Amino acid sequence: SQTIHQWPATLVQPVGSPLSLECTVEGTSNPNLYWYRQAAGRGLQLLFYSVGIGQISSEVPQNLSASRPQDRQFILSSKKLLLSDSGFYLCAWKGLANTGELFFGEGSRLTVL
Amino acid sequence: KQEVTQIPAALSVPEGENLVLNCSFTDSAIYNLQWFRQDPGKGLTSLLLIQSSQREQTSGRLNASLDKSSGRSTLYIAASQPGDSATYLCAPHGQNFVFGPGTRLSVLP
Protein backbone atom coordinates (compact mmCIF):
# COMPACT_ATOMS: atom_id res chain seq x y z
CA SER A 1 0.00 0.00 0.00
CA GLN A 2 1.03 3.59 -0.54
CA THR A 3 2.29 5.78 2.28
CA ILE A 4 3.47 9.36 2.47
CA HIS A 5 5.93 10.73 4.99
CA GLN A 6 6.71 14.31 5.94
CA TRP A 7 9.39 15.66 8.23
CA PRO A 8 10.06 17.38 10.42
CA ALA A 9 6.64 17.37 12.08
CA THR A 10 7.32 20.60 13.97
CA LEU A 11 9.82 23.36 13.35
CA VAL A 12 10.55 26.69 15.05
CA GLN A 13 12.87 28.92 13.08
CA PRO A 14 14.08 32.54 13.38
CA VAL A 15 13.33 35.09 10.68
CA GLY A 16 16.00 35.01 7.99
CA SER A 17 16.99 31.38 8.52
CA PRO A 18 16.75 28.73 5.78
CA LEU A 19 14.08 26.05 5.52
CA SER A 20 13.92 22.53 4.18
CA LEU A 21 10.81 20.35 4.47
CA GLU A 22 10.89 16.90 2.97
CA CYS A 23 8.20 14.61 1.68
CA THR A 24 8.56 11.06 0.38
CA VAL A 25 6.01 8.66 -1.03
CA GLU A 26 6.29 4.88 -0.91
CA GLY A 27 4.46 2.19 -2.81
CA THR A 28 3.77 4.05 -6.05
CA SER A 29 5.61 5.29 -9.13
CA ASN A 30 5.37 8.54 -11.06
CA PRO A 31 3.02 10.26 -8.62
CA ASN A 32 1.87 13.84 -8.98
CA LEU A 33 3.17 15.63 -5.87
CA TYR A 34 1.82 18.75 -4.20
CA TRP A 35 2.77 21.23 -1.46
CA TYR A 36 -0.07 23.05 0.28
CA ARG A 37 0.00 25.62 3.08
CA GLN A 38 -2.71 26.12 5.66
CA ALA A 39 -2.32 29.37 7.56
CA ALA A 40 -4.17 29.95 10.83
CA GLY A 41 -7.87 30.50 10.14
CA ARG A 42 -7.43 30.14 6.40
CA GLY A 43 -8.03 27.44 3.84
CA LEU A 44 -5.56 25.27 1.99
CA GLN A 45 -3.47 27.13 -0.54
CA LEU A 46 -1.67 25.23 -3.30
CA LEU A 47 1.98 26.31 -3.40
CA PHE A 48 3.68 23.93 -5.85
CA TYR A 49 2.93 20.80 -7.81
CA SER A 50 5.10 18.41 -9.78
CA VAL A 51 4.24 15.86 -12.46
CA GLY A 52 7.76 14.43 -12.71
CA ILE A 53 11.42 14.66 -11.68
CA GLY A 54 12.67 18.22 -12.04
CA GLN A 55 9.24 19.50 -13.15
CA ILE A 56 7.87 22.12 -10.77
CA SER A 57 4.88 24.42 -11.22
CA SER A 58 4.42 27.34 -8.87
CA GLU A 59 0.93 28.54 -8.07
CA VAL A 60 1.77 31.48 -5.85
CA PRO A 61 4.80 33.80 -6.15
CA GLN A 62 6.49 33.85 -2.77
CA ASN A 63 9.55 33.33 -0.67
CA LEU A 64 9.52 29.57 -1.15
CA SER A 65 10.80 27.11 -3.75
CA ALA A 66 10.32 23.42 -4.41
CA SER A 67 12.42 20.68 -5.94
CA ARG A 68 11.87 17.09 -6.97
CA PRO A 69 15.27 15.39 -7.12
CA GLN A 70 13.82 11.86 -7.23
CA ASP A 71 10.55 10.36 -8.43
CA ARG A 72 9.07 10.00 -4.95
CA GLN A 73 10.76 12.89 -3.15
CA PHE A 74 9.48 16.45 -2.94
CA ILE A 75 11.30 19.19 -1.03
CA LEU A 76 10.07 22.63 0.03
CA SER A 77 12.77 25.21 0.70
CA SER A 78 13.45 28.79 1.55
CA LYS A 79 16.72 30.70 1.71
CA LYS A 80 15.43 33.29 4.19
CA LEU A 81 12.22 32.78 6.16
CA LEU A 82 9.70 35.56 6.76
CA LEU A 83 7.21 35.80 9.61
CA SER A 84 4.44 35.29 7.05
CA ASP A 85 5.86 31.86 6.17
CA SER A 86 4.49 30.46 9.43
CA GLY A 87 1.81 27.84 8.88
CA PHE A 88 0.97 24.19 8.46
CA TYR A 89 2.58 22.68 5.38
CA LEU A 90 1.03 19.63 3.80
CA CYS A 91 2.43 17.35 1.15
CA ALA A 92 0.06 15.30 -1.00
CA TRP A 93 0.26 12.81 -3.83
CA LYS A 94 -2.02 11.58 -6.56
CA GLY A 95 -1.69 8.97 -9.27
CA LEU A 96 -1.23 10.00 -12.89
CA ALA A 97 -4.87 9.55 -13.87
CA ASN A 98 -6.92 12.74 -13.86
CA THR A 99 -9.59 10.86 -11.95
CA GLY A 100 -7.20 9.85 -9.18
CA GLU A 101 -7.63 10.35 -5.44
CA LEU A 102 -5.51 12.83 -3.47
CA PHE A 103 -3.72 11.61 -0.32
CA PHE A 104 -2.07 13.77 2.32
CA GLY A 105 0.82 13.44 4.71
CA GLU A 106 0.61 14.35 8.38
CA GLY A 107 1.92 17.86 7.85
CA SER A 108 4.78 20.01 9.14
CA ARG A 109 4.01 22.90 11.45
CA LEU A 110 6.39 25.83 10.94
CA THR A 111 6.60 28.74 13.34
CA VAL A 112 8.82 31.64 12.34
CA LEU A 113 9.81 33.93 15.21
CA LYS B 1 -10.99 30.40 -11.51
CA GLN B 2 -12.69 27.80 -9.31
CA GLU B 3 -14.27 29.12 -6.11
CA VAL B 4 -15.58 26.80 -3.43
CA THR B 5 -17.90 27.60 -0.55
CA GLN B 6 -19.12 25.38 2.27
CA ILE B 7 -22.21 25.81 4.39
CA PRO B 8 -22.50 25.86 7.33
CA ALA B 9 -19.14 27.13 8.52
CA ALA B 10 -19.66 25.45 11.89
CA LEU B 11 -22.18 23.01 13.30
CA SER B 12 -22.79 21.65 16.79
CA VAL B 13 -25.23 18.79 17.26
CA PRO B 14 -26.10 16.14 19.85
CA GLU B 15 -24.97 12.60 19.24
CA GLY B 16 -27.24 10.50 17.02
CA GLU B 17 -28.41 13.24 14.67
CA ASN B 18 -28.25 12.93 10.89
CA LEU B 19 -26.27 15.76 9.28
CA VAL B 20 -25.97 17.43 5.90
CA LEU B 21 -22.89 19.40 4.91
CA ASN B 22 -23.02 21.46 1.73
CA CYS B 23 -20.35 22.32 -0.83
CA SER B 24 -20.78 24.66 -3.82
CA PHE B 25 -18.33 25.31 -6.64
CA THR B 26 -18.38 27.71 -9.57
CA ASP B 27 -16.66 25.76 -12.36
CA SER B 28 -18.41 22.53 -13.34
CA ALA B 29 -15.52 21.36 -15.55
CA ILE B 30 -14.20 18.87 -13.00
CA TYR B 31 -12.91 15.30 -13.12
CA ASN B 32 -14.16 14.44 -9.65
CA LEU B 33 -14.82 15.82 -6.19
CA GLN B 34 -13.27 14.61 -2.97
CA TRP B 35 -14.40 14.98 0.65
CA PHE B 36 -11.85 15.06 3.46
CA ARG B 37 -11.85 15.29 7.21
CA GLN B 38 -9.18 17.09 9.21
CA ASP B 39 -8.64 16.61 12.92
CA PRO B 40 -6.94 19.49 14.80
CA GLY B 41 -3.24 19.68 14.03
CA LYS B 42 -3.39 16.75 11.61
CA GLY B 43 -3.27 16.16 7.90
CA LEU B 44 -6.32 15.55 5.74
CA THR B 45 -7.94 12.11 5.58
CA SER B 46 -9.78 11.18 2.42
CA LEU B 47 -13.40 10.17 3.04
CA LEU B 48 -15.03 9.82 -0.35
CA LEU B 49 -14.17 10.43 -3.99
CA ILE B 50 -16.99 10.97 -6.48
CA GLN B 51 -16.16 10.80 -10.17
CA SER B 52 -17.81 13.38 -12.42
CA SER B 53 -19.90 10.63 -14.03
CA GLN B 54 -21.28 9.48 -10.67
CA ARG B 55 -24.22 10.89 -8.73
CA GLU B 56 -23.26 9.54 -5.32
CA GLN B 57 -20.81 7.49 -3.32
CA THR B 58 -21.23 5.72 0.02
CA SER B 59 -18.84 4.59 2.74
CA GLY B 60 -20.32 3.31 5.99
CA ARG B 61 -22.40 6.10 7.57
CA LEU B 62 -21.23 8.60 4.97
CA ASN B 63 -22.96 9.35 1.70
CA ALA B 64 -21.83 12.01 -0.73
CA SER B 65 -23.77 13.24 -3.74
CA LEU B 66 -22.62 15.29 -6.70
CA ASP B 67 -24.64 17.48 -9.05
CA LYS B 68 -21.96 18.75 -11.40
CA SER B 69 -24.28 20.84 -13.56
CA SER B 70 -25.47 22.91 -10.61
CA GLY B 71 -22.05 22.97 -8.92
CA ARG B 72 -23.11 21.26 -5.71
CA SER B 73 -22.08 18.37 -3.53
CA THR B 74 -23.58 17.19 -0.27
CA LEU B 75 -22.04 15.05 2.46
CA TYR B 76 -24.61 13.20 4.55
CA ILE B 77 -23.53 11.75 7.91
CA ALA B 78 -25.95 9.31 9.49
CA ALA B 79 -26.28 8.73 13.22
CA SER B 80 -23.48 11.11 14.16
CA GLN B 81 -20.98 10.17 16.89
CA PRO B 82 -18.56 12.24 19.00
CA GLY B 83 -15.71 10.70 16.97
CA ASP B 84 -17.10 12.47 13.89
CA SER B 85 -16.06 15.82 15.39
CA ALA B 86 -13.60 17.37 12.92
CA THR B 87 -13.43 19.86 10.07
CA TYR B 88 -14.83 18.57 6.79
CA LEU B 89 -13.49 19.93 3.50
CA CYS B 90 -14.62 19.41 -0.06
CA ALA B 91 -12.31 19.74 -3.05
CA PRO B 92 -13.49 19.70 -6.67
CA HIS B 93 -10.74 18.58 -9.00
CA GLY B 94 -10.37 20.46 -12.25
CA GLN B 95 -6.93 21.61 -13.38
CA ASN B 96 -6.00 21.20 -9.72
CA PHE B 97 -7.81 20.47 -6.49
CA VAL B 98 -9.37 23.60 -4.98
CA PHE B 99 -10.40 23.38 -1.35
CA GLY B 100 -13.38 24.90 0.38
CA PRO B 101 -12.96 26.65 3.76
CA GLY B 102 -14.47 23.68 5.59
CA THR B 103 -17.31 22.97 7.99
CA ARG B 104 -16.25 22.56 11.63
CA LEU B 105 -18.42 19.87 13.18
CA SER B 106 -18.83 19.19 16.89
CA VAL B 107 -20.89 16.18 17.96
CA LEU B 108 -21.77 16.35 21.64
CA PRO B 109 -22.15 13.18 23.72
Side-chain angles (χ1 to χ4, degrees):
Chain A
S1 63
Q2 302 88 354
T3 56
I4 179 169
H5 303 282
Q6 276 188 249
W7 69 92
T10 305
L11 198 58
V12 180
Q13 292 285 102
V15 170
S17 64
L19 171 73
S20 181
L21 300 178
E22 191 162 342
C23 170
T24 59
V25 181
E26 297 177 356
T28 187
S29 298
N30 303 316
N32 288 349
L33 296 173
Y34 305 82
W35 278 112
Y36 287 87
R37 177 170 59 199
Q38 189 173 40
R42 300 178 64 180
L44 265 73
Q45 180 186 37
L46 178 62
L47 302 176
F48 301 95
Y49 68 94
S50 172
V51 299
I53 296 174
Q55 301 179 62
I56 307 295
S57 296
S58 174
E59 289 294 299
V60 181
Q62 60 208 320
N63 186 41
L64 302 170
S65 62
S67 62
R68 184 170 177 175
Q70 301 180 42
D71 180 46
R72 289 170 287 177
Q73 184 184 30
F74 205 20
I75 298 172
L76 184 69
S77 303
S78 174
K79 292 182 179 178
K80 290 185 177 182
L81 284 168
L82 305 172
L83 287 174
S84 58
D85 292 324
S86 293
F88 193 45
Y89 290 82
L90 291 153
C91 181
W93 77 271
K94 185 183 75 65
L96 284 180
N98 286 328
T99 54
E101 192 171 355
L102 190 67
F103 297 98
F104 281 85
E106 282 298 308
S108 297
R109 182 161 303 282
L110 170 66
T111 303
V112 183
L113 301 174
Chain B
K1 178 185 174 184
Q2 180 76 275
E3 294 182 1
V4 184
T5 56
Q6 290 188 245
I7 295 173
L11 186 61
S12 184
V13 299
E15 181 176 5
E17 281 205 3
N18 300 325
L19 310 171
V20 176
L21 308 182
N22 297 290
C23 170
S24 298
F25 49 96
T26 56
D27 186 352
S28 61
I30 60 172
Y31 298 109
N32 55 44
L33 184 142
Q34 201 166 344
W35 281 92
F36 297 85
R37 83 174 260 168
Q38 186 177 27
D39 294 292
K42 301 293 186 181
L44 277 68
T45 300
S46 178
L47 296 174
L48 289 164
L49 174 72
I50 314 176
Q51 301 297 343
S52 62
S53 58
Q54 296 177 313
R55 300 274 311 172
E56 65 178 59
Q57 192 70 252
T58 298
S59 176
R61 294 182 294 108
L62 305 180
N63 176 277
S65 66
L66 175 64
D67 184 343
K68 199 174 77 163
S69 61
S70 67
R72 295 181 185 176
S73 179
T74 298
L75 180 66
Y76 176 82
I77 304 176
S80 59
Q81 303 172 358
D84 294 330
S85 298
T87 297
Y88 290 80
L89 300 102
C90 67
H93 177 208
Q95 182 178 5
N96 274 309
F97 288 86
V98 177
F99 285 81
T103 293
R104 190 170 64 255
L105 172 64
S106 295
V107 181
L108 307 174

